[in-house]
Short mmCIF file of all heavy atoms in Angstrom, two decimals:
data_model
loop_
_atom_site.label_atom_id
_atom_site.label_comp_id
_atom_site.label_asym_id
_atom_site.label_seq_id
_atom_site.Cartn_x
_atom_site.Cartn_y
_atom_site.Cartn_z
N MET A 1 -20.89 15.93 23.52
CA MET A 1 -20.23 15.25 22.43
C MET A 1 -18.99 14.52 22.93
O MET A 1 -18.74 13.38 22.53
CB MET A 1 -19.86 16.26 21.34
CG MET A 1 -19.29 15.59 20.12
SD MET A 1 -19.25 16.64 18.69
CE MET A 1 -17.60 17.25 18.76
N ALA A 2 -18.22 15.11 23.79
CA ALA A 2 -17.02 14.45 24.31
C ALA A 2 -17.39 13.26 25.18
O ALA A 2 -16.70 12.24 25.18
CB ALA A 2 -16.17 15.44 25.09
N THR A 3 -18.50 13.38 25.91
CA THR A 3 -18.95 12.28 26.76
C THR A 3 -19.36 11.08 25.92
O THR A 3 -19.03 9.94 26.24
CB THR A 3 -20.14 12.73 27.64
OG1 THR A 3 -19.75 13.90 28.35
CG2 THR A 3 -20.56 11.66 28.59
N THR A 4 -20.07 11.34 24.82
CA THR A 4 -20.48 10.26 23.92
C THR A 4 -19.27 9.55 23.32
O THR A 4 -19.23 8.32 23.24
CB THR A 4 -21.37 10.82 22.79
OG1 THR A 4 -22.43 11.57 23.36
CG2 THR A 4 -21.93 9.72 21.94
N THR A 5 -18.28 10.30 22.94
CA THR A 5 -17.06 9.72 22.37
C THR A 5 -16.32 8.90 23.42
O THR A 5 -15.86 7.79 23.12
CB THR A 5 -16.14 10.84 21.84
OG1 THR A 5 -16.87 11.63 20.89
CG2 THR A 5 -14.92 10.26 21.18
N LEU A 6 -16.22 9.40 24.62
CA LEU A 6 -15.54 8.67 25.69
C LEU A 6 -16.26 7.36 26.03
O LEU A 6 -15.64 6.31 26.15
CB LEU A 6 -15.42 9.55 26.93
CG LEU A 6 -14.71 8.92 28.12
CD1 LEU A 6 -13.27 8.59 27.77
CD2 LEU A 6 -14.78 9.83 29.33
N ILE A 7 -17.58 7.43 26.14
CA ILE A 7 -18.35 6.22 26.45
C ILE A 7 -18.24 5.22 25.30
O ILE A 7 -18.10 4.00 25.52
CB ILE A 7 -19.82 6.58 26.74
CG1 ILE A 7 -19.91 7.35 28.04
CG2 ILE A 7 -20.69 5.33 26.80
CD1 ILE A 7 -21.29 7.92 28.33
N GLY A 8 -18.28 5.70 24.07
CA GLY A 8 -18.14 4.82 22.91
C GLY A 8 -16.78 4.13 22.89
O GLY A 8 -16.69 2.92 22.63
N ALA A 9 -15.73 4.88 23.16
CA ALA A 9 -14.38 4.29 23.18
C ALA A 9 -14.26 3.26 24.30
O ALA A 9 -13.65 2.20 24.11
CB ALA A 9 -13.34 5.39 23.35
N LEU A 10 -14.83 3.55 25.46
CA LEU A 10 -14.79 2.59 26.57
C LEU A 10 -15.58 1.33 26.23
O LEU A 10 -15.15 0.21 26.58
CB LEU A 10 -15.34 3.23 27.84
CG LEU A 10 -14.44 4.29 28.49
CD1 LEU A 10 -15.16 4.95 29.65
CD2 LEU A 10 -13.13 3.68 28.94
N LEU A 11 -16.71 1.46 25.56
CA LEU A 11 -17.49 0.28 25.19
C LEU A 11 -16.77 -0.58 24.15
O LEU A 11 -16.81 -1.81 24.22
CB LEU A 11 -18.86 0.69 24.67
CG LEU A 11 -19.86 1.14 25.74
CD1 LEU A 11 -21.13 1.66 25.09
CD2 LEU A 11 -20.17 0.01 26.70
N VAL A 12 -16.11 0.05 23.19
CA VAL A 12 -15.34 -0.72 22.21
C VAL A 12 -14.21 -1.48 22.90
O VAL A 12 -14.00 -2.67 22.67
CB VAL A 12 -14.79 0.20 21.09
CG1 VAL A 12 -13.79 -0.54 20.22
CG2 VAL A 12 -15.92 0.74 20.25
N ALA A 13 -13.49 -0.80 23.78
CA ALA A 13 -12.40 -1.46 24.51
C ALA A 13 -12.93 -2.57 25.40
O ALA A 13 -12.35 -3.66 25.46
CB ALA A 13 -11.64 -0.43 25.34
N ALA A 14 -14.06 -2.35 26.07
CA ALA A 14 -14.63 -3.38 26.94
C ALA A 14 -15.07 -4.59 26.12
O ALA A 14 -14.90 -5.74 26.56
CB ALA A 14 -15.81 -2.80 27.71
N GLY A 15 -15.64 -4.36 24.94
CA GLY A 15 -16.04 -5.47 24.09
C GLY A 15 -14.85 -6.30 23.64
O GLY A 15 -14.89 -7.54 23.63
N LEU A 16 -13.76 -5.64 23.27
CA LEU A 16 -12.56 -6.36 22.84
C LEU A 16 -11.93 -7.13 24.00
O LEU A 16 -11.48 -8.27 23.83
CB LEU A 16 -11.55 -5.38 22.24
CG LEU A 16 -11.97 -4.75 20.91
CD1 LEU A 16 -10.95 -3.70 20.48
CD2 LEU A 16 -12.15 -5.79 19.84
N ILE A 17 -11.90 -6.53 25.16
CA ILE A 17 -11.34 -7.20 26.34
C ILE A 17 -12.21 -8.40 26.72
O ILE A 17 -11.69 -9.47 27.04
CB ILE A 17 -11.20 -6.22 27.51
CG1 ILE A 17 -10.08 -5.21 27.20
CG2 ILE A 17 -10.92 -6.95 28.82
CD1 ILE A 17 -9.99 -4.07 28.18
N TYR A 18 -13.52 -8.24 26.64
CA TYR A 18 -14.42 -9.35 26.94
C TYR A 18 -14.16 -10.53 26.00
O TYR A 18 -14.07 -11.68 26.45
CB TYR A 18 -15.88 -8.90 26.82
CG TYR A 18 -16.85 -10.03 27.06
CD1 TYR A 18 -17.24 -10.35 28.34
CD2 TYR A 18 -17.37 -10.77 26.01
CE1 TYR A 18 -18.12 -11.39 28.57
CE2 TYR A 18 -18.24 -11.81 26.22
CZ TYR A 18 -18.62 -12.12 27.51
OH TYR A 18 -19.47 -13.16 27.72
N MET A 19 -14.03 -10.26 24.71
CA MET A 19 -13.79 -11.34 23.74
C MET A 19 -12.44 -11.99 23.96
O MET A 19 -12.30 -13.22 23.84
CB MET A 19 -13.92 -10.81 22.32
CG MET A 19 -15.35 -10.48 21.94
SD MET A 19 -15.56 -10.05 20.21
CE MET A 19 -14.77 -8.46 20.15
N ALA A 20 -11.43 -11.20 24.29
CA ALA A 20 -10.10 -11.77 24.54
C ALA A 20 -10.10 -12.65 25.78
O ALA A 20 -9.56 -13.77 25.77
CB ALA A 20 -9.07 -10.65 24.69
N LEU A 21 -10.72 -12.19 26.85
CA LEU A 21 -10.76 -12.98 28.07
C LEU A 21 -11.60 -14.25 27.89
O LEU A 21 -11.27 -15.30 28.45
CB LEU A 21 -11.30 -12.14 29.23
CG LEU A 21 -10.38 -11.04 29.73
CD1 LEU A 21 -11.06 -10.22 30.81
CD2 LEU A 21 -9.07 -11.61 30.23
N ALA A 22 -12.67 -14.15 27.12
CA ALA A 22 -13.49 -15.34 26.87
C ALA A 22 -12.69 -16.39 26.10
O ALA A 22 -12.80 -17.58 26.37
CB ALA A 22 -14.74 -14.95 26.09
N ALA A 23 -11.86 -15.97 25.15
CA ALA A 23 -11.05 -16.92 24.40
C ALA A 23 -9.92 -17.50 25.25
O ALA A 23 -9.59 -18.68 25.13
CB ALA A 23 -10.46 -16.24 23.16
N ILE A 24 -9.36 -16.70 26.13
CA ILE A 24 -8.27 -17.17 26.98
C ILE A 24 -8.76 -18.20 27.98
O ILE A 24 -8.14 -19.24 28.19
CB ILE A 24 -7.59 -15.99 27.69
CG1 ILE A 24 -6.80 -15.16 26.69
CG2 ILE A 24 -6.69 -16.48 28.81
CD1 ILE A 24 -6.30 -13.84 27.26
N PHE A 25 -9.87 -17.92 28.64
CA PHE A 25 -10.34 -18.77 29.72
C PHE A 25 -11.21 -19.93 29.25
O PHE A 25 -11.72 -20.68 30.06
CB PHE A 25 -11.07 -17.96 30.78
CG PHE A 25 -10.14 -17.06 31.54
CD1 PHE A 25 -10.28 -15.69 31.49
CD2 PHE A 25 -9.12 -17.59 32.29
CE1 PHE A 25 -9.42 -14.86 32.18
CE2 PHE A 25 -8.24 -16.77 32.98
CZ PHE A 25 -8.41 -15.40 32.93
N ARG A 26 -11.40 -20.08 27.96
CA ARG A 26 -12.17 -21.20 27.44
C ARG A 26 -11.21 -22.31 27.02
O ARG A 26 -11.13 -22.72 25.89
CB ARG A 26 -13.00 -20.75 26.24
CG ARG A 26 -14.08 -21.73 25.86
CD ARG A 26 -14.91 -21.24 24.68
NE ARG A 26 -15.49 -19.94 24.95
CZ ARG A 26 -15.27 -18.86 24.19
NH1 ARG A 26 -14.49 -18.92 23.15
NH2 ARG A 26 -15.83 -17.72 24.48
N GLY A 27 -10.48 -22.80 27.96
CA GLY A 27 -9.48 -23.82 27.70
C GLY A 27 -10.00 -25.20 27.98
O GLY A 27 -11.20 -25.43 28.07
N ARG A 28 -9.10 -26.15 28.13
CA ARG A 28 -9.47 -27.52 28.43
C ARG A 28 -10.08 -27.57 29.83
O ARG A 28 -9.59 -26.96 30.76
CB ARG A 28 -8.26 -28.42 28.37
CG ARG A 28 -7.70 -28.53 26.97
CD ARG A 28 -6.49 -29.38 26.93
NE ARG A 28 -6.89 -30.78 27.09
CZ ARG A 28 -6.06 -31.79 27.06
NH1 ARG A 28 -4.77 -31.56 26.92
NH2 ARG A 28 -6.48 -33.01 27.19
N MET A 29 -11.14 -28.31 29.96
CA MET A 29 -11.85 -28.38 31.23
C MET A 29 -11.40 -29.56 32.08
O MET A 29 -11.56 -29.56 33.28
CB MET A 29 -13.36 -28.48 30.98
CG MET A 29 -13.92 -27.27 30.25
SD MET A 29 -13.74 -25.75 31.17
CE MET A 29 -14.95 -25.98 32.42
N THR A 30 -10.85 -30.60 31.46
CA THR A 30 -10.47 -31.79 32.21
C THR A 30 -8.97 -31.99 32.18
O THR A 30 -8.34 -31.91 31.13
CB THR A 30 -11.14 -33.03 31.63
OG1 THR A 30 -10.78 -33.14 30.26
CG2 THR A 30 -12.63 -32.97 31.74
N ASP A 31 -8.42 -32.24 33.31
CA ASP A 31 -7.01 -32.62 33.46
C ASP A 31 -6.05 -31.70 32.70
O ASP A 31 -5.37 -32.13 31.78
CB ASP A 31 -6.83 -34.07 33.00
CG ASP A 31 -5.54 -34.67 33.55
OD1 ASP A 31 -4.99 -34.11 34.52
OD2 ASP A 31 -5.11 -35.69 33.00
N PRO A 32 -5.97 -30.44 33.05
CA PRO A 32 -5.08 -29.53 32.33
C PRO A 32 -3.60 -29.85 32.53
O PRO A 32 -2.77 -29.40 31.76
CB PRO A 32 -5.43 -28.16 32.89
CG PRO A 32 -5.98 -28.44 34.24
CD PRO A 32 -6.65 -29.78 34.15
N HIS A 33 -3.26 -30.64 33.54
CA HIS A 33 -1.86 -30.95 33.81
C HIS A 33 -1.57 -32.41 33.50
O HIS A 33 -1.07 -33.15 34.35
CB HIS A 33 -1.52 -30.65 35.28
CG HIS A 33 -1.81 -29.24 35.66
ND1 HIS A 33 -1.09 -28.18 35.18
CD2 HIS A 33 -2.77 -28.70 36.45
CE1 HIS A 33 -1.58 -27.05 35.66
NE2 HIS A 33 -2.61 -27.34 36.44
N ALA A 34 -1.90 -32.84 32.30
CA ALA A 34 -1.66 -34.23 31.91
C ALA A 34 -0.16 -34.48 31.77
O ALA A 34 0.61 -33.59 31.40
CB ALA A 34 -2.36 -34.54 30.59
N SER A 35 0.24 -35.69 32.06
CA SER A 35 1.66 -36.01 31.99
C SER A 35 2.10 -36.20 30.54
O SER A 35 1.29 -36.53 29.67
CB SER A 35 1.95 -37.28 32.79
OG SER A 35 1.33 -38.38 32.16
N ALA A 36 3.37 -36.03 30.29
CA ALA A 36 3.92 -36.19 28.94
C ALA A 36 3.98 -37.67 28.55
O ALA A 36 4.03 -38.00 27.36
CB ALA A 36 5.31 -35.57 28.87
N ASN A 37 3.99 -38.58 29.52
CA ASN A 37 4.06 -40.01 29.22
C ASN A 37 2.74 -40.55 28.68
O ASN A 37 2.72 -41.56 27.98
CB ASN A 37 4.43 -40.79 30.49
CG ASN A 37 5.81 -40.42 30.99
OD1 ASN A 37 6.65 -39.95 30.22
ND2 ASN A 37 6.04 -40.60 32.28
N ASP A 38 1.65 -39.94 29.01
CA ASP A 38 0.33 -40.39 28.57
C ASP A 38 -0.08 -39.55 27.35
O ASP A 38 -0.51 -38.42 27.49
CB ASP A 38 -0.67 -40.21 29.70
CG ASP A 38 -2.00 -40.86 29.39
OD1 ASP A 38 -2.10 -41.58 28.37
OD2 ASP A 38 -2.94 -40.66 30.17
N PRO A 39 0.05 -40.10 26.13
CA PRO A 39 -0.22 -39.29 24.94
C PRO A 39 -1.68 -38.86 24.82
O PRO A 39 -1.98 -37.81 24.30
CB PRO A 39 0.18 -40.19 23.78
CG PRO A 39 0.22 -41.57 24.32
CD PRO A 39 0.46 -41.45 25.79
N ALA A 40 -2.60 -39.67 25.34
CA ALA A 40 -4.02 -39.30 25.23
C ALA A 40 -4.38 -38.25 26.28
O ALA A 40 -5.34 -37.52 26.12
CB ALA A 40 -4.89 -40.53 25.41
N GLY A 41 -3.63 -38.17 27.34
CA GLY A 41 -3.90 -37.19 28.38
C GLY A 41 -5.14 -37.51 29.20
O GLY A 41 -5.68 -36.65 29.84
N ARG A 42 -5.60 -38.74 29.13
CA ARG A 42 -6.78 -39.19 29.89
C ARG A 42 -8.01 -38.32 29.67
O ARG A 42 -8.77 -38.04 30.57
CB ARG A 42 -6.47 -39.26 31.38
CG ARG A 42 -5.59 -40.41 31.72
CD ARG A 42 -5.54 -40.56 33.23
NE ARG A 42 -4.15 -40.66 33.62
CZ ARG A 42 -3.51 -39.82 34.40
NH1 ARG A 42 -4.13 -38.82 34.92
NH2 ARG A 42 -2.25 -39.99 34.69
N THR A 43 -8.21 -37.85 28.47
CA THR A 43 -9.37 -37.04 28.15
C THR A 43 -9.76 -37.28 26.70
O THR A 43 -8.93 -37.70 25.89
CB THR A 43 -9.10 -35.54 28.38
OG1 THR A 43 -10.29 -34.82 28.06
CG2 THR A 43 -7.95 -35.04 27.54
N LEU A 44 -10.98 -37.03 26.38
CA LEU A 44 -11.46 -37.16 25.01
C LEU A 44 -11.39 -35.84 24.26
O LEU A 44 -11.71 -35.77 23.08
CB LEU A 44 -12.91 -37.68 25.00
CG LEU A 44 -13.09 -39.09 25.53
CD1 LEU A 44 -14.57 -39.44 25.58
CD2 LEU A 44 -12.33 -40.09 24.70
N GLU A 45 -10.96 -34.79 24.93
CA GLU A 45 -10.85 -33.50 24.29
C GLU A 45 -9.66 -33.48 23.34
O GLU A 45 -8.64 -34.11 23.60
CB GLU A 45 -10.68 -32.40 25.34
CG GLU A 45 -11.90 -32.22 26.21
CD GLU A 45 -11.66 -31.19 27.28
OE1 GLU A 45 -10.64 -31.29 27.97
OE2 GLU A 45 -12.49 -30.29 27.40
N PRO A 46 -9.77 -32.76 22.25
CA PRO A 46 -8.64 -32.67 21.34
C PRO A 46 -7.47 -31.92 21.97
O PRO A 46 -7.65 -31.11 22.88
CB PRO A 46 -9.18 -31.88 20.14
CG PRO A 46 -10.38 -31.19 20.64
CD PRO A 46 -10.91 -32.00 21.78
N ARG A 47 -6.27 -32.21 21.49
CA ARG A 47 -5.08 -31.55 22.05
C ARG A 47 -5.10 -30.05 21.81
O ARG A 47 -4.76 -29.26 22.66
CB ARG A 47 -3.81 -32.13 21.42
CG ARG A 47 -3.50 -33.49 21.91
CD ARG A 47 -2.22 -33.98 21.26
NE ARG A 47 -1.90 -35.27 21.79
CZ ARG A 47 -0.90 -35.48 22.63
NH1 ARG A 47 -0.15 -34.50 23.00
NH2 ARG A 47 -0.68 -36.69 23.09
N ARG A 48 -5.45 -29.66 20.60
CA ARG A 48 -5.49 -28.23 20.26
C ARG A 48 -6.92 -27.76 20.16
O ARG A 48 -7.81 -28.50 19.80
CB ARG A 48 -4.80 -27.99 18.92
CG ARG A 48 -3.33 -28.21 18.99
CD ARG A 48 -2.70 -27.73 17.72
NE ARG A 48 -1.82 -28.78 17.24
CZ ARG A 48 -1.55 -29.00 15.99
NH1 ARG A 48 -2.09 -28.26 15.06
NH2 ARG A 48 -0.72 -29.95 15.64
N ARG A 49 -7.11 -26.51 20.45
CA ARG A 49 -8.42 -25.90 20.28
C ARG A 49 -8.65 -25.63 18.81
O ARG A 49 -7.76 -25.22 18.09
CB ARG A 49 -8.47 -24.56 21.01
CG ARG A 49 -9.25 -24.64 22.29
CD ARG A 49 -9.46 -23.28 22.82
NE ARG A 49 -8.26 -22.89 23.53
CZ ARG A 49 -8.09 -21.74 24.11
NH1 ARG A 49 -9.01 -20.83 24.04
NH2 ARG A 49 -7.00 -21.45 24.74
N GLY A 50 -9.88 -25.81 18.38
CA GLY A 50 -10.24 -25.48 17.01
C GLY A 50 -10.47 -23.98 16.89
O GLY A 50 -10.24 -23.20 17.81
N MET A 51 -10.98 -23.58 15.76
CA MET A 51 -11.25 -22.16 15.53
C MET A 51 -12.64 -21.76 16.03
O MET A 51 -13.10 -20.66 15.78
CB MET A 51 -11.13 -21.84 14.03
CG MET A 51 -9.72 -22.04 13.49
SD MET A 51 -8.49 -21.05 14.33
CE MET A 51 -8.83 -19.46 13.63
N GLY A 52 -13.30 -22.65 16.76
CA GLY A 52 -14.63 -22.36 17.28
C GLY A 52 -14.66 -21.19 18.25
O GLY A 52 -15.69 -20.55 18.43
N PHE A 53 -13.55 -20.90 18.90
CA PHE A 53 -13.54 -19.80 19.86
C PHE A 53 -13.63 -18.45 19.17
O PHE A 53 -13.87 -17.44 19.82
CB PHE A 53 -12.30 -19.86 20.76
CG PHE A 53 -11.01 -19.57 20.07
CD1 PHE A 53 -10.49 -18.29 20.09
CD2 PHE A 53 -10.32 -20.56 19.41
CE1 PHE A 53 -9.30 -18.00 19.47
CE2 PHE A 53 -9.12 -20.28 18.78
CZ PHE A 53 -8.62 -19.01 18.81
N LEU A 54 -13.47 -18.42 17.85
CA LEU A 54 -13.61 -17.17 17.10
C LEU A 54 -15.01 -16.98 16.55
O LEU A 54 -15.28 -15.98 15.91
CB LEU A 54 -12.61 -17.13 15.94
CG LEU A 54 -11.14 -17.05 16.33
CD1 LEU A 54 -10.27 -17.14 15.09
CD2 LEU A 54 -10.85 -15.79 17.09
N GLY A 55 -15.90 -17.93 16.79
CA GLY A 55 -17.23 -17.90 16.20
C GLY A 55 -18.14 -16.85 16.81
O GLY A 55 -17.90 -16.30 17.88
N LEU A 56 -19.23 -16.61 16.11
CA LEU A 56 -20.22 -15.63 16.55
C LEU A 56 -20.96 -16.10 17.79
O LEU A 56 -21.29 -15.30 18.67
CB LEU A 56 -21.20 -15.35 15.41
CG LEU A 56 -22.26 -14.29 15.66
CD1 LEU A 56 -21.60 -12.95 15.88
CD2 LEU A 56 -23.21 -14.23 14.50
N LYS A 57 -21.19 -17.40 17.89
CA LYS A 57 -21.92 -17.95 19.03
C LYS A 57 -21.22 -17.66 20.35
O LYS A 57 -21.86 -17.33 21.34
CB LYS A 57 -22.09 -19.45 18.84
CG LYS A 57 -22.84 -20.13 19.93
CD LYS A 57 -22.93 -21.62 19.66
CE LYS A 57 -23.59 -22.33 20.81
NZ LYS A 57 -23.61 -23.78 20.60
N ALA A 58 -19.92 -17.77 20.37
CA ALA A 58 -19.16 -17.58 21.61
C ALA A 58 -18.89 -16.11 21.92
O ALA A 58 -18.68 -15.75 23.07
CB ALA A 58 -17.84 -18.33 21.52
N ASN A 59 -18.89 -15.25 20.90
CA ASN A 59 -18.45 -13.87 21.09
C ASN A 59 -19.54 -12.82 20.92
O ASN A 59 -19.23 -11.63 20.89
CB ASN A 59 -17.32 -13.56 20.11
CG ASN A 59 -16.07 -14.32 20.44
OD1 ASN A 59 -15.72 -14.47 21.60
ND2 ASN A 59 -15.41 -14.83 19.44
N TRP A 60 -20.81 -13.22 20.85
CA TRP A 60 -21.83 -12.22 20.57
C TRP A 60 -21.95 -11.14 21.65
O TRP A 60 -22.21 -9.98 21.30
CB TRP A 60 -23.18 -12.87 20.26
CG TRP A 60 -23.87 -13.48 21.43
CD1 TRP A 60 -23.81 -14.77 21.84
CD2 TRP A 60 -24.73 -12.82 22.35
NE1 TRP A 60 -24.56 -14.96 22.96
CE2 TRP A 60 -25.15 -13.77 23.30
CE3 TRP A 60 -25.18 -11.51 22.48
CZ2 TRP A 60 -25.99 -13.46 24.35
CZ3 TRP A 60 -26.03 -11.20 23.53
CH2 TRP A 60 -26.43 -12.17 24.45
N PRO A 61 -21.76 -11.43 22.94
CA PRO A 61 -21.87 -10.32 23.90
C PRO A 61 -20.78 -9.27 23.69
O PRO A 61 -21.05 -8.06 23.73
CB PRO A 61 -21.71 -10.99 25.26
CG PRO A 61 -22.06 -12.42 25.05
CD PRO A 61 -21.63 -12.72 23.66
N GLY A 62 -19.55 -9.71 23.43
CA GLY A 62 -18.47 -8.76 23.19
C GLY A 62 -18.66 -7.98 21.91
O GLY A 62 -18.37 -6.78 21.84
N LEU A 63 -19.16 -8.66 20.88
CA LEU A 63 -19.43 -7.97 19.61
C LEU A 63 -20.54 -6.94 19.77
O LEU A 63 -20.47 -5.85 19.20
CB LEU A 63 -19.80 -8.98 18.53
CG LEU A 63 -18.66 -9.87 18.04
CD1 LEU A 63 -19.19 -10.96 17.13
CD2 LEU A 63 -17.61 -9.04 17.33
N LEU A 64 -21.56 -7.27 20.55
CA LEU A 64 -22.65 -6.34 20.78
C LEU A 64 -22.17 -5.10 21.53
O LEU A 64 -22.51 -3.97 21.16
CB LEU A 64 -23.78 -7.02 21.56
CG LEU A 64 -24.99 -6.16 21.87
CD1 LEU A 64 -25.72 -5.79 20.57
CD2 LEU A 64 -25.92 -6.88 22.81
N ILE A 65 -21.36 -5.30 22.55
CA ILE A 65 -20.83 -4.17 23.32
C ILE A 65 -19.97 -3.28 22.42
O ILE A 65 -20.09 -2.05 22.44
CB ILE A 65 -20.02 -4.68 24.53
CG1 ILE A 65 -20.94 -5.36 25.54
CG2 ILE A 65 -19.26 -3.54 25.21
CD1 ILE A 65 -20.22 -6.11 26.63
N ALA A 66 -19.11 -3.91 21.62
CA ALA A 66 -18.25 -3.14 20.72
C ALA A 66 -19.07 -2.41 19.65
O ALA A 66 -18.76 -1.27 19.29
CB ALA A 66 -17.21 -4.05 20.07
N ALA A 67 -20.12 -3.06 19.14
CA ALA A 67 -20.96 -2.42 18.12
C ALA A 67 -21.69 -1.19 18.68
O ALA A 67 -21.80 -0.17 18.00
CB ALA A 67 -21.96 -3.43 17.57
N ILE A 68 -22.18 -1.30 19.90
CA ILE A 68 -22.82 -0.13 20.53
C ILE A 68 -21.79 0.99 20.69
O ILE A 68 -22.10 2.16 20.47
CB ILE A 68 -23.45 -0.53 21.88
CG1 ILE A 68 -24.63 -1.46 21.64
CG2 ILE A 68 -23.88 0.70 22.66
CD1 ILE A 68 -25.19 -2.09 22.90
N GLY A 69 -20.57 0.63 21.06
CA GLY A 69 -19.51 1.64 21.18
C GLY A 69 -19.20 2.31 19.86
O GLY A 69 -19.00 3.53 19.79
N VAL A 70 -19.16 1.52 18.77
CA VAL A 70 -18.90 2.09 17.45
C VAL A 70 -20.02 3.04 17.05
O VAL A 70 -19.77 4.12 16.50
CB VAL A 70 -18.72 0.97 16.40
CG1 VAL A 70 -18.76 1.51 14.99
CG2 VAL A 70 -17.42 0.22 16.65
N ILE A 71 -21.26 2.67 17.33
CA ILE A 71 -22.39 3.55 17.02
C ILE A 71 -22.27 4.86 17.79
O ILE A 71 -22.48 5.95 17.23
CB ILE A 71 -23.72 2.85 17.32
CG1 ILE A 71 -23.94 1.71 16.32
CG2 ILE A 71 -24.89 3.82 17.29
CD1 ILE A 71 -25.09 0.80 16.66
N LEU A 72 -21.90 4.76 19.06
CA LEU A 72 -21.72 6.00 19.85
C LEU A 72 -20.56 6.84 19.32
O LEU A 72 -20.61 8.08 19.39
CB LEU A 72 -21.51 5.67 21.32
CG LEU A 72 -22.74 5.15 22.07
CD1 LEU A 72 -22.36 4.76 23.49
CD2 LEU A 72 -23.83 6.21 22.08
N LEU A 73 -19.53 6.19 18.81
CA LEU A 73 -18.42 6.95 18.23
C LEU A 73 -18.81 7.64 16.93
O LEU A 73 -18.26 8.68 16.57
CB LEU A 73 -17.21 6.04 18.01
CG LEU A 73 -16.45 5.61 19.25
CD1 LEU A 73 -15.42 4.55 18.89
CD2 LEU A 73 -15.78 6.80 19.89
N LEU A 74 -19.73 7.04 16.19
CA LEU A 74 -20.14 7.62 14.91
C LEU A 74 -21.21 8.71 15.04
O LEU A 74 -21.43 9.47 14.10
CB LEU A 74 -20.66 6.53 13.98
CG LEU A 74 -19.61 5.53 13.48
CD1 LEU A 74 -20.26 4.45 12.67
CD2 LEU A 74 -18.54 6.25 12.68
N ILE A 75 -21.87 8.80 16.19
CA ILE A 75 -22.93 9.80 16.37
C ILE A 75 -22.44 11.23 16.13
O ILE A 75 -23.10 11.99 15.42
CB ILE A 75 -23.58 9.66 17.77
CG1 ILE A 75 -24.48 8.43 17.78
CG2 ILE A 75 -24.38 10.89 18.14
CD1 ILE A 75 -25.10 8.13 19.12
N PRO A 76 -21.28 11.66 16.65
CA PRO A 76 -20.85 13.04 16.37
C PRO A 76 -20.53 13.29 14.90
O PRO A 76 -20.55 14.43 14.45
CB PRO A 76 -19.58 13.20 17.22
CG PRO A 76 -19.67 12.16 18.27
CD PRO A 76 -20.44 11.04 17.65
N ALA A 77 -20.25 12.24 14.13
CA ALA A 77 -19.91 12.42 12.73
C ALA A 77 -21.14 12.62 11.84
O ALA A 77 -21.02 13.06 10.70
CB ALA A 77 -19.12 11.20 12.22
N VAL A 78 -22.31 12.30 12.35
CA VAL A 78 -23.54 12.44 11.57
C VAL A 78 -23.95 13.90 11.57
O VAL A 78 -24.13 14.51 12.63
CB VAL A 78 -24.68 11.55 12.17
CG1 VAL A 78 -25.98 11.77 11.43
CG2 VAL A 78 -24.26 10.11 12.18
N PRO A 79 -24.10 14.50 10.37
CA PRO A 79 -24.51 15.92 10.33
C PRO A 79 -25.96 16.07 10.76
O PRO A 79 -26.81 15.27 10.43
CB PRO A 79 -24.32 16.32 8.87
CG PRO A 79 -24.31 15.04 8.12
CD PRO A 79 -23.86 13.97 9.05
N SER A 80 -26.24 17.12 11.49
CA SER A 80 -27.61 17.36 12.00
C SER A 80 -28.40 18.20 11.03
O SER A 80 -27.95 19.05 10.36
CB SER A 80 -27.56 18.07 13.34
OG SER A 80 -26.89 17.25 14.26
#
């Protein structure tokens, strides 16, 4: 029972860390060091990131890992 809880907690933490790192490293791909004099920044990418990095499409692996961890955490709570 303690092993299941420990593995579940580790999977939840790993899922959250995966989603956070995916959002951090999904930045601008072209010319990240654009000069302040060039307002367009020589790229067609928008200046700010949209809310797309919070979507299900980008985060499904992390959500799956966290969901498996939650299921493992709930197993000891289920009466036999």
Side-chain angles (χ1 to χ4, degrees):
M1 185 164 96
T3 306
T4 307
T5 304
L6 181 62
I7 292 172
L10 289 174
L11 285 174
V12 170
L16 292 175
I17 290 171
Y18 177 86
M19 289 187 289
L21 290 176
I24 289 170
F25 291 117
R26 195 179 303 121
R28 294 178 73 178
M29 298 298 287
T30 57
D31 199 18
H33 303 291
S35 67
N37 297 336
D38 189 8
R42 287 190 230 118
T43 181
L44 294 175
E45 293 176 310
R47 287 181 177 252
R48 290 190 229 150
R49 255 190 278 179
M51 295 302 284
F53 69 95
L54 293 175
L56 183 63
K57 181 181 175 183
N59 292 320
W60 72 267
L63 290 172
L64 180 66
I65 293 169
I68 292 171
V70 167
I71 291 170
L72 289 176
L73 287 172
L74 292 176
I75 286 176
V78 176
S80 299

